Amino acid sequence: MSSPTPVRVLLVEDDELMRRSFTVALERYGYRVKAAADGLTGLESFRDDSFDLLILDVMLPGLDGIGLCRRVRESSLVPVLMMSARGDGLDIVAGLEAGADDYVVKPVDTNVLVARIRSLLRRATYAPAPAAAQAAGDGPGPAPSEGELLTFGDLTLHTGALEVAVSGTPVALTPTELKLLLEFAAHPGVVLERHTLLRNVWDYGWDGDSRVVDLCVQRLRGKLGRDRIETVRGFGYKLRR
């Protein structure tokens, strides 16, 4: 019986000590890591090879992590985790707006980093539960092979094929954006609070940063239409039927 293919991670970090430390730590968990010391080298590595996950520092020489994330998003939906040394709100917002799926603030505990990586990889291989199982409260499970075709105005979502279209035109979503949309689609017309979305989509507890929700909703609106997801001030968001 063959062993599973190792998850391939591209780590772009300019601090040599941190780069080596993260590489060694992740390899101990079974990840295959390729490291780069600057944004342009990281972009070249991304274009020359195939990766399951990218970890990008915000502050990089040549091409910073935010610019690198934007370049990656021009051609790929690969999960992206940003790292910010200062925890600066502007850095975090800019990284998420550029298309990152999540972020951590350095210094970061290895266990926290690995937990975030695992969460991102689960989203990248996500399969929604059958509607009947959801209604019965049976929790997550494998999706039926044929799935369902859900329609919300000009928005269509095929839950089996994980395909999204607006007015018949396919829309490419990142794994996080897709899982967020599936969460809304499972509860159409129902207001979902931010902490509920953090728990169900990002696997966060109560102490998660709600900015990741707000900015991912903002990205979804840019792809699906501004009015499809409604803000309910003081509570959260809901998908219009």
Side-chain angles (χ1 to χ4, degrees), residues 205-216:
W206 286 83
D207 58 345
D209 187 342
S210 65
R211 284 177 294 188
V212 297
V213 176
D214 296 334
L215 289 164
C216 195

Side-chain angles (χ1 to χ4, degrees), residues 219-230:
R219 296 206 312 259
L220 263 183
R221 284 172 169 163
K223 295 180 178 182
L224 306 180
R226 301 297 305 174
D227 299 328
R228 182 56 52 201
I229 301 173
E230 179 181 347

Side-chain angles (χ1 to χ4, degrees), residues 192-213:
L192 300 180
E193 297 181 341
R194 288 173 175 85
H195 68 77
T196 299
L197 295 170
L198 281 170
R199 182 180 64 244
N200 293 348
V201 178
W202 281 266
D203 294 339
Y204 277 11
W206 286 83
D207 58 345
D209 187 342
S210 65
R211 284 177 294 188
V212 297
V213 176

Side-chain angles (χ1 to χ4, degrees), residues 81-162:
L81 178 66
M82 300 291 295
M83 294 192 297
S84 171
R86 301 191 304 268
D88 186 284
L90 293 177
D91 281 351
I92 292 166
V93 169
L96 294 170
E97 285 181 336
D101 297 280
D102 202 352
Y103 77 92
V104 292
V105 176
K106 296 189 295 184
V108 56
D109 182 87
T110 301
N111 291 328
V112 173
L113 180 63
V114 170
R116 296 290 179 85
I117 289 172
R118 287 174 175 169
S119 176
L120 278 173
L121 293 173
R122 281 195 296 271
R123 278 174 249 163
T125 57
Y126 176 73
Q134 290 182 348
D138 293 336
S145 57
E146 72 278 6
E148 294 181 276
L149 183 62
L150 305 178
T151 303
F152 307 95
D154 61 352
L155 169 66
T156 57
L157 168 61
H158 195 297
T159 62
L162 298 179

